């Protein structure tokens, strides 16, 4: 009997060690197995191999989720300090579960410490058709007292290639998402943020990684990754002495040791990635298709085209000015008027950015009849009405600050630090959460018919001390973001489909953790048409066009047509004084709005092909193609060109080689005619293999063209 029991144990052990776990999409395979020590190791990550199952013959054996305090010399994914002070963790395989829902497969892998009652569950959700994998982690324990977490990556992945090139997206206010590529050498490269609320202000939470050779738009093996978290993040890229790359992604643990209570579950945000052998363009299209279906609120619903009052009035307005702008909104032909900052506060009127923030009642001098009156007047003019809010912030010169100084993040025994004359409310406090939700709810309830919110957030966290958290200050950065999500959950429970723009002094919040609550985001306060090409180009690597708000303004020295053509490649809007338009400018803009409405489905939901990069030539060319491949739009921008610039033919992509396409220039300025001579139909095969000349007549700096291709 003892021999039979021993044999059964041996058989069970062998079965556990031999177990392989595959997380797969149509093109990606991620394979884990359990080694002889009972630990989970990553066996393979790459393109699907043929025949099926060939990836199980790869013998990589790097531990999947590296723990601190054991024998690994790599930067750990997780570090935990137990009740007895032991700072180590060993994780052994304890089981797996797989469920399917629609096109997505969810795999959970449970790991346990054999000595301490700690459980770590690795979660993976694989979206088959979209070739996207989401990975996140849960940590829990049943020790008698809280344990201390000092590192808690969402995921860790391991790659084995000859060379690695990392592309990061960095910048600052009005200079967002500059793309910079570098070769990774031995050692550690970190991309991170410690800004908390406006976390993406300088470093964006996404990256591209090329393997073996530098990937371009159409060729090369590439991994693209991002973190769904609206707070401090960290990506670590460690190349070891064997030239293997280890990537950890998750919340930045900086100043964020977390005391995890017994039976409490610590859930990390999702690390979302795709891997392709067909370059950057394929990775972007994977993200766009997935985001529209799974990550952005109402991804396939129509978006509103709006006119913002900021450049026309700033904070200097009254009811008469605003109702006059309603008529300009209607004349322009857009859907909605958006009232920006400056409409609120009475004791400390919001006439500049140094007062009133936090006091969210309509200013009686500017708006004696309140917001409801404006909603009604906008409706009479045939347009919708939207409003600007910044509910997480407060000016020291406000009634809110005077009444609730304990609601503000502020350091004891230190002078207060101001950024844009404001401070951050302590959203970890449930009373503040109720207040912030109440700002939104009261504004909408008191003025039924408000159709849109621009939700702003103009500063990062300094004064990093929460009166509410008391002796748990290291929870602040994490709990703030979680508290924001709690508020947004409440907003969406009552107002599930209200369009809301995510704004943060420009592109300070651009992540899929927030976009589940928002319909679009404001990529930058910089609306200069030329500089916006680079900004919108950068964001296009991860976000679909209908999430990237692009407004026509007076920034920049380009023509109105150029600025309009740039805005039309994403989600068109206006922030301009329409009354200053000449007759032809007004006519052009009215027709542009109509044209955009007609082609918006192709731009919003079509496949994007970045045909020419502004980083490589003094021009940029973008192409959108609908799913049926019978309709395409080309945006062609000539930038500051030099006399020695030579521009090749542009080969189109994504068309049906067997279809015949007619090409027509659209969005022409009144009184002009196209200088292109596309007077015949062209096969998709010819357009993709030979290309077309996109220099109409002669080349002029800061000119643009939009071309429409229709299959016949």
């Amino acid at each position: 009997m003892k021999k039979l029991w021993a044999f059964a144990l041996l058989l069970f052990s062998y079965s556990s060690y031999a177990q392989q776990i595959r997380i797969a999409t149509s093109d990606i395979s991620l394979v884990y197995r359990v080694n002889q020590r009972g630990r989970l190791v990553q066996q393979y990550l790459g393109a699907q191999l043929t025949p099926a199952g060939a990836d199980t013959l790869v013998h990589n054996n790097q531990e999947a989720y590296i723990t601190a305090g054991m024998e690994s010399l790599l930067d750990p994914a997780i570090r935990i300090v137990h009740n007895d002070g032991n700072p180590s963790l060993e994780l052994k395989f304890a089981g797996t579960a797989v469920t399917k829902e629609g096109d997505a497969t969810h795999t959970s892998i449970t790991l346990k410490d054999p000595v301490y009652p700690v459980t770590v569950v690795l979660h993976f959700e694989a979206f088959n058709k979209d070739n996207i994998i989401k990975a996140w982690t849960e940590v829990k324990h049943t020790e008698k007292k809280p344990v201390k977490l000092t590192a808690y990556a969402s995921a860790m992945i391991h790659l084995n290639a000859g060379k690695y090139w990392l592309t990061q997206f960095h910048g600052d206010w009005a200079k967002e998402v500059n793309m910079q590529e570098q070769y990774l050498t031995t050692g550690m490269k970190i991309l991170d943020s410690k800004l908390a609320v406006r976390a993406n202000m300088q470093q964006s939470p996404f990256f591209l990684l090329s393997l073996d050779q530098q990937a371009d738009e159409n060729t090369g093996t590439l991994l693209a990754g991002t973190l769904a978290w609206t707070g401090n993040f960290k990506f670590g890229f460690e190349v070891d002495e064997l030239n293997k790359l280890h990537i950890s992604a998750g919340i930045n643990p900086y100043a964020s040791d977390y005391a995890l209570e017994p039976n409490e579950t610590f859930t990390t945000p999702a690390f979302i990635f795709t891997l392709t052998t067909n370059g950057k363009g394929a990775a972007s299209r994977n993200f766009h298709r997935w985001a529209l279906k799974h990550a952005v609120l109402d991804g396939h619903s129509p978006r509103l085209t709006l006119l913002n009052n900021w450049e026309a009035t700033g904070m200097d307005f009254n009811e008469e000015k605003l109702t006059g702008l309603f008529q300009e909104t209607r004349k322009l032909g857009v859907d909605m008027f958006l009232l920006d900052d400056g409409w609120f506060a009475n004791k400390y009127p919001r006439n500049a950015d140094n007062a009133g923030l936090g006091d969210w009642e309509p200013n009686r001098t500017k708006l004696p009849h309140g917001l409801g009156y404006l909603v009604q007047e906008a409706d009479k003019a045939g347009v919708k009405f939207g409003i600007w809010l910044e509910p997480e912030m407060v000016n020291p010169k406000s009634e809110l600050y005077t009444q609730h100084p304990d609601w503000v993040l502020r350091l004891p025994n230190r002078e207060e630090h101001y950024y844009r004359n404001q401070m951050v409310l302590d959203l970890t406090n449930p009373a503040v959460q109720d207040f912030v939700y109440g700002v939104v709810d009261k504004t909408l309830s008191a003025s039924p018919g408000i159709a849109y919110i621009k939700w702003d957030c103009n500063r990062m966290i300094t004064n990093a001390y929460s009166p509410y958290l008391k002796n748990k200050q290291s929870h602040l950065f994490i709990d703030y973001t979680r508290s924001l999500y709690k508020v947004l959950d409440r907003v969406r429970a009552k107002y599930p489909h209200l369009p809301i723009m995510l704004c943060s002094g420009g592109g300070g919040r651009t992540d899929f953790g927030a976009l589940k609550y928002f319909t679009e985001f404001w990529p930058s306060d910089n609306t200069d048409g030329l500089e916006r090409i680079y900004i919108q180009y950068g964001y296009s690597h991860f976000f679909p066009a209908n999430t990237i708000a692009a407004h026509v303004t007076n920034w920049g020295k380009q023509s109105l047509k150029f600025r309009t053509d740039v805005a039309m490649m994403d989600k068109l809007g206006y922030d301009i004084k329409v009354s200053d338009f000449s007759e032809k400018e007004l006519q052009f803009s009215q027709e542009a709005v109509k044209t955009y409405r007609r082609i918006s489905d192709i731009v919003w939901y079509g496949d994007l092909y970045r045909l020419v990069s502004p980083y490589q030539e003094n021009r940029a060319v973008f192409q959108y193609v609908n799913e049926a491949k019978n309709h395409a739009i080309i945006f062609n921008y000539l930038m500051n060109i030099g006399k020695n610039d030579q521009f090749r033919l542009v080969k189109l992509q994504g068309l049906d080689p067997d279809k015949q396409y007619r090409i027509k220039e659209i969005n022409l300025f009144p009184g002009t005619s196209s200088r292109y001579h596309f007077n015949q139909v062209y096969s998709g095969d010819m357009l993709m293999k030979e290309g077309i000349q996109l220099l109409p007549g002669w080349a002029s700096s800061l000119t643009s063209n939009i071309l429409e291709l229709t299959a016949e």
Side-chain angles (χ1 to χ4, degrees):
M1 187 67 180
K2 288 183 179 180
K3 289 182 179 180
L4 287 174
W5 178 243
F7 178 75
L9 281 176
L10 180 64
L11 187 63
F12 174 80
S13 299
Y14 177 78
S15 176
S16 296
Y17 299 149
Q19 180 163 353
Q20 290 175 321
I21 304 162
R22 175 179 280 104
I23 293 98
T25 70
S26 60
D27 294 340
I28 307 168
S29 179
L30 172 60
V31 180
Y32 293 103
R33 66 178 176 84
V34 182
N35 68 13
Q36 292 184 348
R37 300 176 65 184
R39 295 185 184 177
L40 185 74
V41 298
Q42 181 188 305
Q43 186 169 354
Y44 179 78
L45 171 59
Q48 287 280 11
L49 301 179
T50 56
D55 49 22
T56 62
L57 301 177
V58 180
H59 292 296
N60 294 328
N61 59 358
Q62 179 59 63
E63 190 166 356
Y65 194 73
I66 294 173
T67 63
M70 301 302 288
E71 68 279 359
S72 177
L73 303 181
L74 296 173
D75 195 46
I78 185 170
R79 182 177 182 271
I80 190 169
V81 181
H82 301 280
N83 289 175
D84 62 3
N86 190 330
S88 68
L89 182 68
E90 183 180 14
L91 294 176
K92 293 196 173 185
F93 178 77
T96 187
V98 179
T99 58
K100 292 187 177 182
E101 184 176 349
D103 190 52
T105 301
H106 175 235
T107 303
S108 62
I109 305 172
T110 300
L111 309 172
K112 292 186 177 182
D113 190 305
V115 177
Y116 292 89
V118 176
T119 300
V120 174
V121 183
L122 306 182
H123 292 273
F124 302 89
E125 191 170 15
F127 296 85
N128 183 58
K129 293 181 182 178
D130 302 318
N131 287 302
I132 292 287
I133 296 176
K134 287 175 61 177
W136 71 97
T137 299
E138 291 181 329
V139 183
K140 48 193 170 184
H141 73 97
T142 57
E143 297 192 26
K144 293 181 180 180
K145 299 177 181 179
V147 301
K148 183 165 69 173
L149 287 172
T150 66
Y152 27 77
S154 297
M156 193 168 200
I157 56 178
H158 311 281
L159 298 166
N160 187 10
K163 294 181 179 180
Y164 311 96
W165 283 268
L166 174 67
T167 300
Q168 66 185 86
F169 299 77
H170 69 95
D172 205 333
W173 180 81
K175 298 180 290 186
E176 290 85 355
V177 293
N178 291 291
M179 295 178 63
Q180 186 175 37
E181 187 173 35
Q182 67 180 105
Y183 173 66
L184 292 180
T185 57
T186 304
M188 176 68 80
K189 168 74 175 182
I190 292 175
L191 305 179
D192 72 345
S193 169
K194 304 179 182 71
L195 304 181
V197 177
R198 196 173 164 190
N200 309 1
M201 180 176 173
Q202 295 181 340
Q203 183 70 50
S204 296
F206 37 86
F207 66 87
L208 306 174
L209 184 81
S210 299
L211 306 178
D212 289 320
Q213 61 184 14
Q214 290 173 282
D216 59 23
E217 279 295 311
N218 303 306
T219 61
T221 301
L222 180 92
L223 185 143
T226 185
L227 190 70
W229 182 246
T230 317
N232 290 345
F233 59 87
K234 177 183 175 183
F235 300 122
F237 304 87
E238 186 173 9
V239 180
D240 67 20
E241 293 301 323
L242 298 176
N243 201 45
K244 295 183 178 181
L245 175 61
H246 314 277
I247 303 175
S248 61
I251 298 172
N252 192 341
Y254 164 77
S256 296
D257 290 354
Y258 203 89
L260 186 65
E261 298 288 339
N263 296 306
E264 178 187 2
T265 300
F266 185 96
T267 304
T268 72
F271 173 59
I272 308 162
F273 68 94
T274 187
L275 189 146
T276 175
T277 57
N278 296 312
K280 299 174 183 177
S284 296
R285 290 187 288 276
N286 288 347
F287 263 102
H288 296 172
R289 286 190 287 264
W290 168 82
L292 289 171
K293 288 183 283 187
H294 303 288
V296 178
L297 183 70
D298 294 336
H300 283 97
S301 296
R303 300 307 197 235
L304 297 171
T305 304
L306 60 85
L307 173 65
N308 193 320
N309 72 298
W310 184 253
E311 287 205 8
T313 69
M315 295 185 189
D316 180 19
F317 55 79
N318 55 30
E319 286 180 346
E320 185 179 0
K321 277 188 179 181
L322 295 179
T323 54
L325 290 175
F326 297 164
Q327 299 303 322
E328 293 191 6
T329 305
R330 181 178 183 179
K331 184 188 296 184
L332 182 60
V334 296
D335 304 304
M336 185 181 68
F337 173 84
L338 173 64
L339 176 57
D340 214 293
D341 195 358
W343 59 269
F344 52 91
N346 287 290
K347 184 175 181 180
Y348 304 101
R350 183 70 168 176
N351 296 321
D353 67 9
N354 64 346
L357 196 59
D359 300 342
W360 296 100
E361 69 282 345
N363 180 271
R364 289 186 292 272
T365 301
K366 296 180 182 179
L367 308 177
H369 297 96
L371 292 178
Y373 169 79
L374 295 179
V375 174
Q376 294 170 7
E377 291 300 304
D379 185 63
K380 290 178 184 178
V383 296
K384 298 180 184 295
F385 181 85
I387 195 72
W388 178 94
L389 293 172
E390 193 176 3
E392 300 164 69
M393 303 288 159
V394 63
N395 286 130
K397 192 176 180 180
S398 68
E399 292 185 83
L400 178 65
Y401 181 91
T402 302
Q403 295 166 2
H404 295 286
D406 57 319
W407 282 11
V408 180
L409 294 178
R410 53 206 298 249
L411 288 162
N413 306 316
R414 301 289 183 190
E415 289 187 8
E416 293 176 346
H417 172 255
Y418 306 134
Y419 186 89
R420 201 176 181 257
N421 299 302
Q422 65 193 58
M423 300 178 74
V424 182
L425 292 175
D426 183 6
L427 207 56
T428 67
N429 185 336
V432 176
Q433 296 172 32
D434 291 341
F435 170 80
V436 173
Y437 169 76
V439 169
V440 181
D441 187 41
K442 182 180 177 181
T443 302
L444 295 173
S445 299
S447 306
I450 289 178
Y452 182 97
I453 289 175
K454 177 182 177 182
W455 184 303
D456 215 338
C457 172
N458 278 299
R459 69 157 296 166
M460 70 301 292
I461 284 184
T462 58
N463 308 287
Y465 184 91
S466 161
Y468 176 78
L469 289 176
K470 296 182 175 62
N471 63 346
K472 290 188 175 181
Q473 294 303 315
S474 63
H475 288 207
L476 172 59
F477 292 137
I478 293 173
D479 285 357
Y480 186 97
T481 304
R482 289 177 173 175
S483 299
L484 172 64
Y485 293 160
K486 287 180 182 178
V487 172
L488 293 171
D489 281 331
R490 293 172 66 184
V491 170
R492 283 308 179 192
K494 188 168 182 180
Y495 307 98
H497 300 293
L498 179 77
I500 307 180
M501 175 199 285
L502 175 62
C503 183
S504 190
R509 283 176 166 171
T510 49
D511 65 90
F512 287 117
L515 278 174
K516 65 181 286 189
Y517 303 104
F518 293 85
T519 49
E520 62 202 73
F521 66 90
W522 185 235
S524 177
D525 283 343
N526 184 348
T527 52
D528 178 290
L530 178 61
E531 295 178 19
R532 261 301 183 113
I533 291 174
Y534 292 92
I535 292 170
Q536 293 169 210
Y537 177 86
Y539 282 118
S540 75
H541 286 78
F542 288 86
F543 301 103
N546 68 345
T547 67
I548 304 172
H551 291 182
V552 181
T553 77
N554 280 322
W555 277 45
K557 298 179 180 179
Q558 311 89 30
S559 68
L560 177 63
K561 172 174 167 52
F562 187 93
R563 287 176 277 132
T564 303
D565 286 354
V566 171
M568 287 177 70
M569 68 172 282
D570 285 309
K571 192 250 165 184
L572 176 67
Y574 288 82
D575 190 345
I576 201 165
K577 197 171 182 180
V578 177
S579 60
D580 286 346
F581 282 165
S582 68
E583 183 179 346
K584 286 188 176 182
E585 287 175 332
L586 177 60
Q587 181 185 348
F588 167 75
S589 299
Q590 291 170 331
E591 290 302 316
V593 171
K594 293 177 184 177
T595 297
Y596 183 75
R597 190 170 284 126
R598 182 175 63 81
I599 67 172
S600 58
D601 278 3
I602 307 167
V603 175
W604 294 347
Y605 314 128
D607 283 339
L608 169 64
Y609 296 88
R610 293 179 293 263
L611 302 181
V612 179
S613 166
Y615 286 91
Q616 295 176 340
E617 298 184 22
N618 284 322
R619 65 170 172 169
V621 185
F622 303 81
Q623 177 191 353
Y624 293 94
V625 183
N626 70 351
E627 186 176 6
K629 299 182 183 297
N630 59 12
H631 211 168
I633 304 295
I634 297 172
F635 295 89
N636 176 47
Y637 309 109
L638 294 181
M639 301 185 298
N640 289 315
I641 61 177
K643 62 181 180 180
N644 294 321
D645 281 331
Q646 295 183 1
F647 298 123
R648 66 191 187 282
L649 297 180
V650 176
K651 296 180 181 180
L652 307 189
Q653 297 181 38
L655 303 177
D656 185 331
D658 297 323
K659 283 186 167 67
Q660 300 291 315
Y661 294 89
R662 186 169 298 278
I663 305 175
K664 178 184 179 182
E665 183 175 5
I666 59 175
N667 218 46
L668 291 164
F669 198 80
T672 67
S673 58
S674 178
R675 294 183 303 197
Y676 289 109
H677 301 288
F678 299 124
N679 53 4
Q680 61 187 65
V681 295
Y682 304 84
S683 73
D685 196 42
M686 189 280 289
L687 292 172
M688 291 189 290
K689 289 180 179 176
E690 293 298 320
I692 56 175
Q693 177 59 260
L694 291 181
L695 295 182
W698 61 90
S700 300
S701 291
L702 302 179
T703 57
S704 57
N705 313 91
I706 302 179
L707 303 177
E708 182 175 11
L709 281 70
T710 307
E712 295 190 348

